[in-house]
Amino acid sequence: MNITIPQKFKDRYTKLVDDPNNFFNILSKPLQKSFRVNTLKSSINEIRERFNIYGINIKQVPWYSDAFISESLAVGVTLEYFLGHIYIQELTSMLPPLLIIKELQNAKIVLDGCAAPGSKTTQLADFMKNQGTIIANELDYARLYILKFNLERIGVINTILTRYDMRFFPNELEFDVILVDVPCSGEGTIRRDPKALSNWSENRILRYVGIQKQIILKAFDLLKPGGHIVYSTCTFAPEENENVVDFLLNKRPAKIEKINIPKIKLTPGIQEWNGKTFNSDIKKTVRIWPHHNDTNGFFLAKIKK
Amino acid sequence: MIKKCPSKKQRLVFNYLEKRFGIKRDSFNDFNLYTEEKGKIFLGPKTFINRCISIGLVIARIDNSIEPSNNLLQTFGKYVKKNFILLNKEDALSYIKGEDLEFLQDEIKEATEGYVLLKYSNFPLGCGLLKGKHLKNMLPKAKRLKLEFL
């Protein structure tokens, strides 16, 4: 895969990453193909059995038993794909719902604030066994159509689709759990999209920060006391990550919770960036570097009200 | 605008699903029915909010008659007791590709004319409209696929 990594990008992240050479090298390697079993319609054993009959090799992901890796493109032309027994999804995108799997067992109402294309919404519905209610919100009309299509294919019934700018989501309801996979500069997606860094600049990063801050505040205000937010981005930039969570901590009585997923390497959030020091709880947030687990880049924070 | 389905319309839908497919009303106990101006019937969560774009699954459309959706038959196919057709591998591949099918009388003995569920092995594939020995494919275009593994 041919990619150009801007020198400024290299300079910036050499300061942040543990092993710059490995990090920059893996960015030009294509992403592993992965999918998740939809247990609303099928089971891990059934999928294993069927793919074995087809002769398609699949390998279970060590940190999430519903997830599999396959080097074969054929996964998308199987009966199981057609029937919605599996959902093709990047590994890092499976993490936000996984962080709140326990909280979802008792959740009555959940908001997926930036829901399209529906990977996380369908996973939430799976964890909630199609019970309770999910509000899946998406502003972009074309992406709303894709979201609807994916929900139908997976057999999700407990979901209501809304179309609001998440910054101005109406205050009528309070939620037990809110996912905000916010719009971001997308640096971590380069293994899927080789052009992800073609317009890269520090100014481009800063363009997203305002909207991210507004979304995280709005999400917190929509939460029931004791409820949880998972804030996530697919970018490395501390401005869009630690900085945004730190902003919330300064504005609201939010608590950051420790993230613990066995068998995946997570790097704690940083305490200082470009001369700015963050709240000490920010180290409970995590960054996923692509070379640690052979994935995309990602950032996660689990927040409690 | 989507709103709660009036009880008369609910009865109409539930009676149709039981009479045509043998799907019992209690299969839907966890959910509510909703409707909108164009006659779509949605099966969704019991919580409802105004100004939503869509809710749950579209399970049918009521015009002059009731048309069950592909979503309904694929998701609730395991409860279907009658008016289904079991396809062989070749026909299942053609159906999923979006083609209409022709049957021999013997192959459609579990079905009468009207909407039917197409099955392959134990898998509910989707909806078709049976007229005589001809099956019109009701699989939405966006869902059609050329499968390589079945």
Side-chain angles (χ1 to χ4, degrees):
Chain A
M1 205 166 82
N2 256 337
I3 61 158
T4 315
I5 302 175
Q7 188 55 45
K8 271 194 169 174
F9 178 92
K10 283 189 177 171
D11 296 342
R12 175 179 239 265
Y13 292 115
T14 300
K15 287 187 271 178
L16 203 59
V17 70
D18 59 342
D19 182 351
N21 277 345
N22 261 337
F23 169 57
F24 296 125
N25 281 341
I26 204 164
L27 295 186
S28 58
K29 295 201 174 103
L31 199 59
Q32 305 187 87
K33 290 165 199 73
S34 49
F35 68 86
R36 174 173 55 79
V37 177
N38 172 24
T39 67
L40 293 175
K41 286 188 169 182
S42 187
S43 67
I44 296 170
N45 283 344
E46 191 181 356
I47 293 299
R48 270 204 166 124
E49 225 169 81
R50 301 279 304 171
F51 278 55
N52 191 29
I53 294 169
Y54 297 154
I56 299 175
N57 283 328
I58 57 172
K59 200 174 94 194
Q60 200 166 28
V61 172
W63 46 268
Y64 182 21
S65 58
D66 290 353
F68 288 85
I69 306 270
S70 174
E71 281 319 307
S72 170
L73 283 174
V75 169
V77 284
T78 58
L79 177 67
E80 285 60 34
Y81 174 78
F82 167 76
L83 292 172
H85 290 192
I86 60 168
Y87 189 101
I88 296 175
Q89 183 177 358
E90 286 172 16
L91 290 176
T92 47
S93 145
M94 299 177 194
L95 287 166
L98 209 53
L99 293 195
I100 35 141
I101 189 164
K102 229 193 259 167
E103 289 80 1
L104 287 171
Q105 310 306 316
N106 301 315
K108 289 190 173 61
I109 183 155
V110 173
L111 171 64
D112 190 352
C114 316
S119 314
K120 295 173 194 75
T121 315
T122 52
Q123 198 179 352
L124 289 171
D126 192 341
F127 288 158
M128 293 168 79
K129 300 185 171 39
N130 243 339
Q131 300 298 305
T133 303
I134 303 169
I135 311 281
N137 180 65
E138 175 57 45
L139 178 62
D140 184 313
Y141 200 79
R143 283 168 60 80
L144 200 60
Y145 179 80
I146 299 168
L147 171 64
K148 190 166 181 287
F149 179 87
N150 282 328
L151 295 179
E152 284 176 359
R153 195 174 61 81
I154 294 301
V156 174
I157 305 170
N158 67 340
T159 300
I160 300 173
L161 297 193
T162 58
R163 186 177 176 229
Y164 290 104
D165 182 328
M166 185 52 202
R167 292 174 293 177
F168 312 114
F169 195 90
N171 291 323
E172 291 159 28
L173 292 167
E174 283 193 318
F175 296 91
D176 297 299
V177 170
I178 300 178
L179 252 56
V180 277
D181 188 41
V182 295
C184 71
S185 60
E187 296 168 330
T189 63
I190 186 155
R191 297 182 67 193
R192 163 170 42 98
D193 173 15
K195 288 182 184 157
L197 294 183
S198 57
N199 292 322
W200 185 89
S201 72
E202 293 195 328
N203 274 340
R204 189 166 184 274
I205 289 170
L206 297 177
R207 245 180 267 156
Y208 288 94
V209 176
I211 184 172
Q212 290 160 345
K213 285 180 175 176
Q214 282 177 285
I215 289 178
I216 202 168
L217 273 191
K218 175 51 117 177
F220 190 82
D221 293 342
L222 289 170
L223 213 55
K224 287 180 189 169
H228 286 82
I229 298 173
V230 177
Y231 174 86
S232 59
T233 74
C234 48
T235 205
F236 307 112
E239 291 86 340
E240 299 180 67
N241 295 324
E242 286 91 341
N243 176 50
V244 173
V245 181
D246 186 66
F247 169 80
L248 175 70
L249 293 181
N250 288 331
K251 294 278 181 193
R252 299 286 189 272
K255 295 181 196 90
I256 310 295
E257 294 202 332
K258 201 165 184 283
I259 294 171
N260 185 19
I261 306 169
K263 296 181 185 169
I264 181 167
K265 187 171 177 183
L266 307 168
T267 306
I270 58 170
Q271 290 289 276
E272 192 264 324
W273 180 248
N274 282 352
K276 187 178 176 186
T277 308
F278 302 126
N279 186 307
S280 62
D281 269 358
I282 292 291
K283 60 179 178 293
K284 294 179 188 164
T285 65
V286 297
R287 190 175 271 93
I288 288 118
W289 291 104
H291 57 295
H292 287 169
N293 308 286
D294 196 0
T295 60
N296 262 337
F298 215 68
F299 175 86
L300 290 154
K302 185 177 177 184
I303 299 155
K304 189 177 180 184
K305 189 168 189 174
Chain B
M1 203 173 72
I2 296 172
K3 56 182 186 190
K4 283 194 177 164
C5 194
S7 46
K8 198 175 158 191
K9 223 179 212 182
Q10 290 200 29
R11 271 199 303 277
L12 198 71
V13 174
F14 287 134
N15 287 346
Y16 169 82
L17 294 177
E18 177 143 20
K19 206 171 157 196
R20 178 76 196 162
F21 295 107
I23 308 177
K24 295 252 186 277
R25 184 182 175 142
D26 59 17
S27 312
F28 307 104
N29 271 354
D30 291 340
F31 308 106
N32 276 352
L33 290 191
Y34 301 89
T35 188
E36 43 86 279
E37 298 83 0
K38 289 178 186 166
K40 278 184 192 166
I41 305 292
F42 302 81
L43 181 73
K46 294 203 164 168
T47 305
F48 178 65
I49 59 165
N50 289 318
R51 301 191 304 276
C52 63
I53 301 287
S54 181
I55 185 163
L57 290 179
V58 175
I59 59 160
R61 186 189 292 269
I62 304 182
D63 197 353
N64 291 324
S65 58
I66 299 180
E67 183 186 312
S69 76
N70 196 71
N71 297 331
L72 169 85
L73 292 182
Q74 211 178 68
T75 309
F76 289 87
K78 61 183 171 191
Y79 302 116
V80 170
K81 306 273 187 306
K82 53 188 177 179
N83 285 311
F84 61 85
I85 300 173
L86 200 57
L87 300 181
N88 60 31
K89 191 171 178 170
E90 193 187 334
D91 281 349
L93 286 169
S94 302
Y95 171 76
I96 293 167
K97 227 193 296 176
E99 291 169 7
D100 289 358
L101 300 171
E102 291 294 332
F103 294 108
L104 301 170
Q105 190 56 47
D106 209 35
E107 296 171 311
I108 50 173
K109 55 181 187 281
E110 302 288 345
T112 58
E113 278 199 354
Y115 292 104
V116 292
L117 165 70
L118 286 313
K119 284 168 77 167
Y120 172 70
S121 181
N122 271 329
F123 301 112
L125 300 180
C127 183
L129 181 60
L130 187 66
K131 203 171 178 194
K133 293 172 193 166
H134 179 82
L135 182 102
K136 188 178 172 207
N137 198 314
M138 301 299 287
L139 200 57
K141 285 199 172 71
K143 296 205 163 102
R144 296 174 183 182
L145 260 182
K146 196 175 168 199
L147 290 192
E148 288 176 21
F149 295 92
L150 173 140

